[in-house]
Amino acid sequence: MKSLRTYSIPFTGLKLGKHRFEYAVDDAFFDEFDYSLVKKANLQCLVELDKQETMLILDFHISGTVNTTCDRCLAEYPQPLDITEQQIAKFSDEVIDEDDEIITLNKNDHEINIAGLIYEYINVAMPFISVCGDEGNTSYCDKEMLEKLNNLSGNEGQNEQTDPRWDVLRKINK
């Protein structure tokens, strides 16, 4: 977890106003998280921190590529990501229930670690079903696997003999 210390922003010495921070999010970042779905990435994270008297407003812009496996052809391909998120952190001495929208910082806190936020934003932005953009026409697409899938799906209906009991049901909609 020592490498995640680089994703801490010490806000105590910062003047009121906007400040920019840039981070590289790569393979070493995701190695720090056990059971991470993302293993390889080449992302740039730009964080704009707006320090105010009672709160911090963090604007995230994460862009680049994450290597993932295509759910159709099983080949590894670069999935482009472009993420824009905002997080608010309020200063408060009172114990407030943690909220997804607002992070509560104690008056004694002097830095905020954004590694968990970056990790969460990237994982949420990953597509639920990963597929190569232009199926069969990219250099990383497994054309042999796609041919096998097409052959299996095309021959399936031809090789099966139909049960005559179902023929009557097919005529119902006509």
Side-chain angles (χ1 to χ4, degrees):
M1 289 293 215
K2 288 184 180 180
S3 68
L4 294 181
R5 296 271 309 142
T6 59
Y7 298 93
S8 289
I9 300 175
F11 55 81
T12 303
L14 296 177
K15 295 180 181 178
L16 296 179
K18 295 187 178 186
H19 306 276
R20 294 171 59 103
F21 300 91
E22 290 186 38
Y23 300 98
V25 181
D26 54 10
D27 305 350
F29 175 82
F30 291 102
D31 288 343
E32 294 295 324
F33 294 93
D34 294 332
Y35 312 111
S36 175
L37 297 176
V38 177
K39 299 295 181 199
K40 295 181 181 180
N42 183 16
L43 298 162
Q44 292 297 319
C45 178
L46 174 66
V47 180
E48 185 175 274
L49 182 140
D50 185 6
K51 184 177 180 184
Q52 299 177 0
E53 289 186 29
T54 59
M55 72 176 89
L56 302 173
I57 300 172
L58 299 155
D59 290 314
F60 292 85
H61 183 242
I62 305 168
S63 61
T65 59
V66 172
N67 286 12
T68 188
T69 304
C70 179
D71 289 336
R72 270 196 201 117
C73 69
L74 303 178
E76 191 171 284
Y77 76 99
Q79 172 69 45
L81 292 180
D82 190 23
I83 305 164
T84 304
E85 291 287 341
Q86 185 179 64
Q87 181 66 53
I88 297 173
K90 291 185 89 171
F91 299 113
S92 177
D93 286 334
E94 301 173 13
V95 178
I96 302 173
D97 292 338
E98 283 296 318
D99 189 359
D100 290 340
E101 302 287 324
I102 298 173
I103 297 173
T104 305
L105 297 172
N106 193 324
K107 295 285 185 186
N108 297 330
D109 292 336
H110 62 284
E111 67 182 10
I112 183 169
N113 192 324
I114 59 170
L117 293 171
I118 295 171
Y119 177 77
E120 181 180 321
Y121 294 149
I122 292 169
N123 279 294
V124 168
M126 289 295 292
F128 185 69
I129 297 173
S130 300
V131 290
C132 310
D134 191 15
E135 183 180 313
N137 297 325
T138 57
S139 60
Y140 40 80
C141 201
D142 189 351
K143 292 171 181 58
E144 186 179 324
M145 178 63 80
L146 290 174
E147 279 182 35
K148 287 181 183 180
L149 287 172
N150 287 334
N151 289 340
L152 289 172
S153 67
N155 293 337
E156 188 176 316
Q158 296 171 358
N159 291 340
E160 289 183 23
Q161 290 188 356
T162 58
D163 188 346
R165 295 176 289 183
W166 295 106
D167 290 340
V168 176
L169 292 175
R170 286 195 183 107
K171 296 177 186 176
I172 288 177
N173 287 335
K174 292 181 182 182

